[in-house]
Amino acid sequence: MIRTTRIRVFLTGVGGQGTLTATKVLAQAALDEGLDVTAGEVHGMAQRGGVVESTVLIGGYQSPRIAHGEAHLLLGFEPLETLRALPYLAPGGIVVSSSEAIMPMSVARGKESMPPFEDIEALARACAEAVHFVPAISLGVQAGASQAANMILLGALCAVGRMPFGLSRLAETIKTTMAPRLHDVNIKAIQLGAQAVCVDNSDK
Amino acid sequence: MAQPLTSGVAGDIHLLLGNEAIVRGAIEAGVEVVTCYPGTPSSEVPDTFFHLSKGGNFSFEYSINEKVALEVGGGATLGGALTLTTMKHVGVNVAADPLMTLAYIGTPGGLVLLSADDPGCHSSQNEQDNRIYARLAGLPVFEPASAQEAKEMTRQALLLSRQWEQPVMLRTTTRLNHLRGPVQFGEVRKPTPAGEPVKNPNRFVPIPAVARARHAQLLKKFEEIGTWAETTPFNNVSGKGEIGVAVSGISRTYLADALMEFGIDGNVRVLSLGFSNPLPNKTCTDFLNSVKRLLVIEEGEPVLENELRVLAQRASLEIEILGKGFAGLTRLGEYDTRIVGKALAKIADINPPPASTCSILPETLSALPKRPPNLCAGCPHRATYYTVRQVFRDTVFYSSDIGCYTLGILPPLAMADFLLDMGSSVSAGCGFARASGKTVVAFIGDSTFFHSGITGVINAVFNNHDLLLVVLDNGTTAMTGGQPHPGVEVHAQGPNPVQVSIEGLLAASGVTEVRTVNPMNLKATRAALDELKEMTGVRALIARAPCIIHARRILKTKSDQVAYVPTTTNSIRACLETLSCPAFTVGQDSAIAIDETACTGCMVCLQVSKDIKAHKRRNK
């Protein structure tokens, strides 16, 4: 198990899922915690429906990029994209991912099929020290809006114990960066996300 | 919420996107005029200025193309204003003409050109390295590598440009534009014009006699700036040892992280260049003299590498210089910590850290379903493309252009056979048709039409070309995020009271056969195309319907009706195969359904298959 004061988080999802908002909140939370942070994102080229990748690097990195084999934490917003991003994991890394699939066009049109979820899970377990799949969209709906799935995942991420801050910091940052009408849903969401990981842990 | 970019005070620390940091730097410098043409990865710079422009202390415009943006900016600096002009790397090709001359005549008010390069082609048709443009034109170059530097260097570049009276290039790459990092704010300098403009045709009107003299002036100025480059803290030498690394741009961050990971920080001698043109020749030569082996790390072309080789040769130094071609350092794409670390480990003769232990085979990954970006559900371009394909099939060639509609390349629409650059669909389409004798249907978006399509149209009429032009007018510059252009009715800050008519421009250019349709009406579009198909010469279809995102965000229109599939029939299958709307899904039992949350209610599919019906939207 890696013990480092420096953490590289690789985030991946589908355009429109709120991965960039999550990236911003996570980076801001690190900054609010008094930590060095650099983050990066790839967007543009009508990412709607395409893959969005972003990074948050905490603890003194200068580069905003994460290469294969460098991510201590992989936060996947969609299981197929989690699978695609597994090579980014560093030895001993942890996967936190949504378990709920969003079909690519070719799959929705019946041209290709998704790998079975069990296969994705097995491949993730083979690469990672720990793997946590949470039903992010359903839990988001439970928190009050399907769009809160991104905060479900941030809550889960902070609950696995590798991040240098916890839920209370995340909640504070949500309060200072988001419009007041969104506070309750998103704070509920990070709590539900964290609980999902804890339940998941007790199962093992 | 208060806008920290304008209201923030010295000492504040904010987490900013690289592009936002550039805006803050310009505001701190007291920028007076900002011009641009949007283009990823530069777009958030002008977008942020646009957002701040009401009540801002600066004048802002979305120009119709990069050449015009730099000409307006050039005029502004001649008039005494501190000026920033922004564009993406390929935009500088469009602006190259005024750029070369601006460096000769100089910029009394100060002018910085932001060139946002895109190594790795994240959203571009090439990965040209615009540091070479700077050398061609004679522009000093800043290359920031962090959000903080983006802010500092923008400020410095603007102020130095005014002091030197020379245009300066702020050269970024996608990773810098789209990184996020803490930025400590500095004081905001009040905008102050350089003073009354002075008439001086012997400097500002580059007739040959003037140009010759100004070229000599430029070279002299460049030498002075080279002396300044020796002292700027943006360039520095650190570490010790016989192995040296010279590095510029964003690669400075990859090197710093690799040195830290290896624990050899300080044991390698590093020449770090944030101000990379003109090179500080003395600093560089001293550095070359202090090491035995040198590794040059820079994405893109071997610009720094070749210049250091020249310096080493001039000083007759016995030094081994390694760069492109060494340990996987290529001229292709982007670098990262691992690529830089591998080269560093090889030259420093140490073991790199272990790579990923992930055992997934590349074949497994490459076999996964891809997720390419796609035209949105409800996108009017899809409807236009569908009908054009119905009329022309594969009997014609499709000349494509730069915008969302380039995504029409994907099957089953398959509406792009060739593409050169922004605005080329018209002129390249003409050339292709003349050379091949084939019918060409050219597509161009509304913003692109104003950018450089209209010049091609005028040329096409004058030179008797044969072209069916389809103007895909969705009322905004959709691909870069919905920026206004002269033809828009309404934009993020309200209505456009001076709308320029595409029909009017076509008519004035001599295009007599123009049909305007709503592409969501397939029958009317088809009728217009059938008519235009029979004609020769330059004729145009204007397919006008708002971008679906623009409609939702700005026009606040939303359909209460959505399409649904009562039972899957062959005609619905055919609709899925030909229209390929992303709101359609196929279940495990092969039954087709329409995702109500994705469906925008455009009702194009109802016209394709009579078996598809409409009903009221169930969820809000």
Side-chain angles (χ1 to χ4, degrees):
Chain A
M1 173 153 174
I2 328 162
R3 279 283 166 215
T4 172
T5 51
R6 296 195 295 262
I7 293 277
R8 287 185 171 117
V9 188
F10 189 90
L11 301 90
T12 181
V14 178
Q17 277 196 296
T19 61
L20 297 184
T21 305
T23 307
K24 226 166 130 176
V25 169
L26 197 61
Q28 183 68 49
L31 191 63
D32 292 348
E33 189 74 17
L35 300 163
D36 283 330
V37 65
T38 174
E41 55 200 54
V42 170
H43 61 244
M45 193 72 196
Q47 286 289 349
R48 190 150 292 265
V51 179
V52 177
E53 293 176 341
S54 59
T55 61
V56 176
L57 298 92
I58 298 168
Y61 292 107
Q62 292 187 26
S63 157
R65 291 201 71 189
I66 295 176
H68 282 179
E70 289 188 338
H72 303 115
L73 290 160
L74 168 59
L75 189 64
F77 287 61
E78 197 283 336
L80 176 62
E81 296 318 316
T82 301
L83 171 55
R84 225 192 290 275
L86 285 176
Y88 286 99
L89 266 187
I94 294 180
V95 171
V96 176
S97 171
S98 172
S99 57
E100 295 172 330
I102 296 171
M103 305 293 168
M105 268 291 287
S106 60
V107 176
R109 294 182 59 216
K111 299 278 179 199
E112 288 185 282
S113 54
M114 292 285 267
F117 178 72
E118 297 70 40
D119 291 6
I120 296 180
E121 200 175 15
L123 287 163
R125 290 202 189 283
C127 291
E129 188 183 271
V131 176
H132 304 276
F133 278 100
V134 297
I137 301 171
S138 306
L139 288 174
V141 171
Q142 203 179 314
S146 63
Q147 292 95 318
N150 60 351
M151 294 299 130
I152 297 283
L153 288 164
L154 282 195
L157 181 76
C158 285
V160 300
R162 287 277 177 91
M163 293 299 289
F165 49 82
L167 288 189
S168 52
R169 167 60 63 199
L170 214 47
E172 282 309 307
T173 301
I174 286 170
K175 281 185 199 160
T176 53
T177 56
M178 290 188 185
R181 67 191 161 84
L182 301 174
H183 291 178
D184 289 350
V185 173
N186 285 297
I187 289 168
K188 178 110 188 274
I190 59 170
Q191 287 161 350
L192 287 177
Q195 278 168 25
V197 165
C198 296
V199 170
D200 181 32
N201 277 342
S202 63
D203 281 348
K204 278 201 285 190
Chain B
M1 208 178 276
Q3 179 43 259
L5 293 176
T6 43
S7 62
V9 296
D12 280 2
I13 294 177
H14 290 279
L15 187 71
L16 298 184
L17 197 65
N19 280 342
E20 294 167 339
I22 290 171
V23 172
R24 174 65 191 187
I27 288 171
E28 286 186 9
V31 74
E32 294 161 270
V33 173
V34 181
T35 66
C36 73
Y37 187 79
T40 312
S42 77
S43 302
E44 295 86 2
V45 177
D47 286 359
T48 307
F49 276 115
F50 181 49
H51 179 66
L52 301 173
S53 58
K54 269 189 187 167
N57 289 327
F58 53 87
S59 147
F60 171 81
E61 76 169 46
Y62 285 111
S63 307
I64 59 162
N65 69 31
E66 296 83 356
K67 177 175 184 284
V68 172
L70 190 58
E71 287 163 348
V72 173
T77 184
L78 294 177
L82 190 60
T83 303
L84 175 67
T85 298
T86 78
M87 58 195 64
K88 68 182 294 180
H89 61 332
V90 291
V92 178
N93 301 331
V94 181
D97 206 355
L99 181 62
M100 299 299 137
T101 305
L102 272 170
Y104 273 36
I105 66 177
T107 53
L111 182 140
V112 168
L113 169 68
L114 167 66
S115 165
D117 292 11
D118 189 19
C121 296
H122 291 287
S123 53
S124 310
Q125 64 269 42
N126 72 34
E127 44 183 9
Q128 70 185 47
D129 187 335
N130 279 4
R131 294 178 301 164
I132 294 173
Y133 256 122
R135 278 137 179 101
L136 178 61
L139 260 53
V141 176
F142 285 90
E143 290 189 74
S146 67
Q148 184 73 45
E149 277 193 356
K151 195 270 290 178
E152 298 298 344
M153 287 186 180
T154 306
R155 183 179 183 281
Q156 272 274 27
L158 281 161
L159 295 177
L160 285 167
S161 174
R162 172 168 287 191
Q163 184 192 320
W164 295 334
E165 298 197 16
Q166 285 299 122
V168 173
M169 179 184 281
L170 180 69
R171 190 262 187 173
T172 62
T173 50
T174 305
R175 295 293 166 180
L176 182 282
N177 297 94
H178 289 169
L179 62 71
R180 252 174 230 284
V183 177
Q184 182 162 32
F185 286 8
E187 298 289 345
V188 172
R189 177 182 165 275
K190 273 215 171 65
T192 45
E196 280 297 305
V198 179
K199 284 181 186 284
N200 186 358
N202 281 331
R203 172 176 172 187
F204 297 123
V205 185
I207 53 171
V210 171
R212 280 191 289 270
R214 290 306 301 176
H215 193 184
Q217 282 293 313
L218 171 60
L219 297 183
K220 187 164 160 270
K221 195 66 146 183
F222 226 59
E223 230 166 87
E224 287 170 34
I225 297 170
T227 310
W228 177 86
E230 307 283 358
T231 59
T232 171
F234 290 127
N235 293 335
N236 58 72
V237 175
S238 62
K240 57 184 188 327
E242 294 185 337
I243 292 168
V245 181
V247 63
S248 72
I250 193 75
S251 297
R252 290 184 287 138
T253 69
Y254 307 145
L255 177 69
D257 286 357
L259 288 167
M260 176 178 70
E261 299 247 299
F262 292 175
I264 56 169
D265 219 349
N267 298 333
V268 171
R269 207 158 151 73
V270 176
L271 169 66
S272 172
L273 296 166
F275 181 83
S276 61
N277 190 51
L279 275 188
N281 285 347
K282 185 179 178 306
T283 304
C284 289
T285 307
D286 289 351
F287 177 78
L288 289 166
N289 217 350
S290 71
V291 295
K292 290 203 166 130
R293 301 183 84 197
L294 174 69
L295 178 63
V296 185
I297 297 174
E298 57 188 325
E299 288 172 338
E301 298 302 310
V303 175
L304 177 59
E305 178 185 338
N306 289 346
E307 290 180 351
L308 290 175
R309 285 184 193 280
V310 169
L311 287 178
Q313 196 268 350
R314 274 200 189 141
S316 308
L317 298 176
E318 291 283 327
I319 178 174
E320 187 182 11
I321 297 177
L322 302 158
K324 298 295 172 190
F326 175 76
L329 295 178
T330 78
R331 290 162 73 172
L332 304 170
E334 299 183 275
Y335 288 1
D336 58 32
T337 313
R338 225 166 244 289
I339 291 171
V340 168
K342 217 175 115 203
L344 184 63
K346 193 164 173 195
I347 196 170
D349 198 23
I350 54 174
N351 290 323
S356 169
T357 51
C358 190
S359 58
I360 298 181
L361 299 171
E363 301 87 86
T364 311
L365 290 173
S366 59
L368 295 176
K370 302 275 183 295
R371 210 185 283 273
N374 201 338
L375 294 175
C376 302
C379 173
H381 301 337
R382 180 184 305 283
T384 310
Y385 280 154
Y386 171 82
T387 310
V388 174
R389 177 150 283 284
Q390 292 296 306
V391 172
F392 292 99
R393 305 285 166 183
D394 276 323
T395 61
V396 300
F397 280 81
Y398 298 110
S399 179
S400 191
D401 218 304
I402 306 280
C404 287
Y405 45 94
T406 320
L407 298 173
I409 190 175
L410 295 178
L413 299 171
M415 279 288 143
D417 290 317
F418 56 90
L419 164 64
L420 300 182
D421 59 61
M422 194 117 179
S424 72
S425 67
V426 186
S427 29
C430 290
F432 190 97
R434 179 155 291 174
S436 66
K438 306 283 184 194
T439 300
V440 171
V441 178
F443 297 102
I444 194 161
D446 40 346
S447 187
T448 314
F449 179 84
F450 291 107
H451 177 281
S452 47
I454 184 63
T455 46
V457 172
I458 296 166
N459 179 71
V461 172
F462 176 64
N463 287 299
N464 294 317
H465 281 288
D466 184 25
L467 189 78
L468 171 48
L469 177 66
V470 178
V471 183
L472 300 158
D473 181 3
N474 64 5
T476 188
T477 315
M479 179 157 251
T480 43
Q483 293 82 4
H485 60 68
V488 307
E489 206 176 306
V490 59
H491 53 73
Q493 295 196 356
N496 171 22
V498 284
Q499 209 181 340
V500 177
S501 156
I502 294 175
E503 280 89 340
L505 282 178
L506 287 173
S509 305
V511 184
T512 52
E513 299 299 338
V514 180
R515 307 283 181 276
T516 301
V517 293
N518 178 348
M520 303 318 213
N521 182 338
L522 300 187
K523 204 172 158 189
T525 306
R526 174 148 198 163
L529 281 167
D530 282 338
E531 213 186 331
L532 292 165
K533 186 183 179 182
E534 299 309 317
M535 300 173 186
T536 56
V538 184
R539 65 274 194 212
L541 177 77
I542 300 173
R544 179 171 292 140
C547 159
I548 198 73
I549 298 174
H550 180 68
R552 200 160 46 222
R553 287 193 191 148
I554 308 295
L555 308 175
K556 308 282 181 201
T557 52
K558 193 180 170 187
S559 167
D560 286 337
Q561 298 273 309
V562 287
Y564 81 103
V565 175
T567 47
T568 304
T569 63
N570 283 340
S571 100
I572 294 177
R573 278 189 215 290
C575 175
L576 170 69
E577 290 306 320
T578 50
L579 190 62
S580 195
C581 173
F584 281 61
T585 59
V586 181
Q588 296 209 319
D589 51 357
S590 302
I592 295 174
I594 292 172
D595 177 357
E596 193 183 303
T597 52
C599 178
T600 63
C602 76
M603 302 307 171
V604 166
C605 60
L606 272 74
Q607 302 164 59
V608 174
S609 168
K610 296 288 172 224
D611 298 336
I612 299 174
K613 305 292 176 194
H615 65 196
K616 221 171 163 61
R617 193 183 284 279
R618 291 201 187 93
N619 51 14
K620 48 174 179 168

